[in-house]
Amino acid sequence: MALDVAWNETGTRARLRFSHPTGNILTAALVDELSAALDDIAEARHVRLVTIEGAGADFSFGASVPEHRPGEIETVLPAMHAMIQSLLSLPAPTAAVVRGRCLGGGFELALACDFIFASDDATFGLPEIALGVFPPAGSVLLPLRAGGARATSAVLTGRRRSAADWAADGLVELVAPAADLDEAVDAWFAGSLGRWSAEALRQAVRAVRGPVAEAAARRLPEVEQLYLKDAMRSRDAIEGLQAFLEKRAAVWKDE
């Protein structure tokens, strides 16, 4: 199974850990598992925090590139965005626990969480521009979470930034050595959300997420159509994806 769901003894924290042998890529099957798990957790009235993490050294290399080719992306992308909307509507606080690389669709998943906890060796990036496309959910969520200038730089340059850099911007809540990250997250939870009423937290996340959730509900379908009907119909998008799969440099036609 690609997704493991574990609860603490008091049922106040759910831990979702996903895995894939190639950098924890987010396949369509894994996205379906995550969506189903979130639906189940939404019914738990005592949960005070849901954490999502990738198994092993890296959070996620991003979405599956082969599944982004024409004929598949039309199904895969809406499913990914539906899962992100489920995260934004989950009646409990959420956090991404990030180690190593957090790229593309993996970064988008983290951006849909209320908090990001990261190891000091974690790096974040949206490299889709190198494939001749752009990150749809990242383009919507990152400006809201970190500001327009930071988002524009991340989307248009594809450069990676460290956990410390993003923490300075307020996007990353906590940074700890990789070996101590689990203990640091446990301590953070015990000293904050674990002490509060689950009902109060449910109402609070509805209130504080409002601007992000409303913007995502409005903008994400628009950007999804821009991606599917414009970006994915360009010759350069097909060239970029094919070049990646063939492990060669892309030859852009600017069309």
Side-chain angles (χ1 to χ4, degrees):
M1 201 174 164
L3 179 68
D4 177 69
V5 181
W7 290 83
N8 65 357
E9 292 182 357
T10 57
T12 57
R13 179 178 164 192
R15 184 177 186 179
L16 280 61
R17 178 179 291 179
F18 60 92
S19 63
H20 189 282
T22 307
N24 292 331
I25 61 170
L26 297 172
T27 63
L30 177 54
V31 167
D32 288 344
E33 286 191 71
L34 281 166
S35 294
L38 292 172
D39 288 343
D40 290 341
I41 291 170
E43 303 300 319
R45 296 197 59 83
H46 300 295
V47 64
R48 290 158 170 80
L49 180 65
V50 179
T51 57
I52 302 176
E53 62 186 279
D58 295 289
F59 184 77
S60 175
F61 288 179
S64 168
V65 174
E67 291 181 348
H68 271 60
R69 290 177 293 190
E72 292 184 76
I73 187 61
E74 295 83 359
T75 300
V76 170
L77 190 63
M80 175 69 174
H81 290 169
M83 186 266 288
I84 285 174
Q85 297 282 20
S86 292
L87 258 178
L88 291 172
S89 63
L90 190 73
T94 58
V97 180
V98 176
R99 295 175 176 82
R101 287 163 284 190
C102 181
L103 307 175
F107 195 7
E108 292 179 319
L109 173 59
L111 287 169
C113 295
D114 297 312
F115 301 101
I116 298 175
F117 306 131
S119 61
D120 55 7
D121 64 349
T123 57
F124 300 79
L126 297 168
E128 285 86 347
I129 197 70
L131 302 181
V133 289
F134 67 93
S139 299
V140 173
L141 295 174
L142 191 53
L144 299 167
R145 300 295 307 277
R150 292 299 192 190
T152 298
S153 177
V155 171
L156 298 189
T157 70
R159 293 194 192 105
R160 299 183 194 180
R161 294 180 61 197
S162 70
D165 283 346
W166 284 116
D169 289 340
L171 180 64
V172 172
E173 173 80 5
L174 177 154
V175 180
D180 302 327
L181 184 58
D182 285 340
E183 183 178 345
V185 173
D186 290 345
W188 182 94
F189 176 66
S192 56
L193 306 191
R195 302 168 57 199
W196 311 141
S197 155
E199 177 62 23
L201 289 170
R202 272 193 294 275
Q203 304 308 326
V205 293
R206 287 177 60 192
V208 77
R209 279 190 202 141
V212 174
E214 290 168 11
R218 182 182 70 255
R219 286 282 295 146
L220 201 50
E222 298 173 0
V223 176
E224 179 180 293
Q225 289 306 302
L226 172 64
Y227 190 97
L228 294 176
K229 293 185 176 180
D230 292 328
M232 281 305 299
R233 291 183 181 178
S234 72
R235 292 186 180 183
D236 281 352
I238 303 305
E239 165 63 10
L241 295 169
Q242 196 62 36
F244 177 87
L245 294 171
E246 294 174 0
K247 295 180 171 55
R248 60 173 175 82
V251 179
W252 306 123
K253 299 294 185 181
D254 297 332
E255 58 187 31

